[in-house]
Amino acid sequence: AAGIISAPSRISASIPAAISLSILWLLLVRAGAMPRRALVAVALAFFGSIWFAYSTLAMPYSPGIASCLAATYLLCHPPADGLRPGRAAAIGFLCGFAVICDFLFGPIAVAAIAVVFLIRLPWGRRDRWPALMGSAVVAGAVPLGLFAAYSYSIFGTLSLPYQYEVIPLFREGMSKGLMGMTRPRLSFAWFLTF
């Protein structure tokens, strides 16, 4: 498959997909799964979903998935001395990057990671909370700020620039509801599922 996948796709999507698969396998094994079963579960998740297709396209979904999984790993497996500001900053940066990779999935995944982050704060050391939360928030704001500056410099607005999309069908679809998402419809769920 590497021969048919273009170089930009390999760099921007396939490599992050491979990294994310490795992190997912590691998370499963560290959670107690047997290595072979974890490998089967990862393969089923990858090939049994749209994740495989994302790994072949020069789109930001694979880097976003890799960022979320890396942030989850850093959060769930801190060093013995606990969560430190540097690790909290890395988690925040990865979460901020995940949001700009996918404006629908990213915020939902980041919200879940943020809840776990708050739960895993050292409850006996509340004096460390401002440094940990501040590090995560400031580092997470870096990629978001860079995207905002990029969008403003090119399009003159801080909004998502889908109104400039070249393909009319995509532009019109993304203008409905929240980035193309409208009320749930049973017919669409049936089509996508079966």
Side-chain angles (χ1 to χ4, degrees), residues 64-159:
I65 293 168
S67 296
C68 287
L69 285 170
T72 302
Y73 182 84
L74 290 174
L75 181 59
C76 292
H77 299 288
D81 58 349
L83 194 58
R84 300 268 192 170
R87 185 172 279 239
I91 293 167
F93 184 86
L94 289 165
C95 287
F97 182 72
V99 169
I100 65 171
C101 286
D102 188 337
F103 298 115
L104 289 177
F105 160 78
I108 294 168
V110 167
I113 293 168
V115 167
V116 175
F117 182 89
L118 293 173
I119 291 170
R120 296 194 57 97
L121 284 173
W123 289 94
R125 300 282 318 267
R126 291 189 184 203
D127 58 316
R128 294 179 59 198
W129 286 16
L132 293 172
M133 288 191 285
S135 298
V137 168
V138 169
V142 170
L144 294 172
L146 290 172
F147 176 78
Y150 166 79
S151 180
Y152 188 79
S153 69
I154 292 175
F155 302 108
T157 179
L158 294 177
S159 66

Side-chain angles (χ1 to χ4, degrees):
I4 16 181
I5 300 172
S6 68
S9 294
R10 281 195 301 271
I11 294 167
S12 67
S14 300
I15 292 172
I19 292 168
S20 62
L21 292 170
S22 301
I23 295 171
L24 181 58
W25 178 83
L26 193 57
L27 280 167
L28 290 172
V29 169
R30 300 267 323 243
M34 294 172 47
R36 286 185 186 168
R37 288 186 180 175
L39 184 61
V40 170
V42 168
L44 288 173
F46 183 65
F47 291 111
S49 70
I50 199 164
W51 194 357
F52 171 72
Y54 285 158
S55 73
T56 65
L57 301 171
M59 296 178 79
Y61 303 124
S62 285
I65 293 168
S67 296
C68 287
L69 285 170
T72 302
Y73 182 84
L74 290 174
L75 181 59
C76 292
H77 299 288
D81 58 349
L83 194 58
R84 300 268 192 170
R87 185 172 279 239
I91 293 167
F93 184 86
L94 289 165
C95 287
F97 182 72
V99 169
I100 65 171
C101 286
D102 188 337
F103 298 115
L104 289 177
F105 160 78
I108 294 168
V110 167
I113 293 168
V115 167
V116 175
F117 182 89
L118 293 173
I119 291 170
R120 296 194 57 97
L121 284 173
W123 289 94
R125 300 282 318 267
R126 291 189 184 203
D127 58 316
R128 294 179 59 198
W129 286 16
L132 293 172
M133 288 191 285
S135 298
V137 168
V138 169
V142 170
L144 294 172
L146 290 172
F147 176 78
Y150 166 79
S151 180
Y152 188 79
S153 69
I154 292 175
F155 302 108
T157 179
L158 294 177
S159 66
L160 302 177
Y162 282 113
Q163 66 265 26
Y164 301 108
E165 182 64 42
V166 174
I167 302 168
L169 179 65
F170 187 76
R171 181 178 60 243
E172 292 163 11
M174 292 301 283
S175 68
K176 296 176 184 165
L178 174 64
M179 292 179 29
M181 286 181 32
T182 59
R183 65 179 173 76
R185 293 186 209 159
L186 186 57
S187 61
F188 288 171
W190 176 262
F191 174 74
L192 291 172
T193 306
F194 299 103

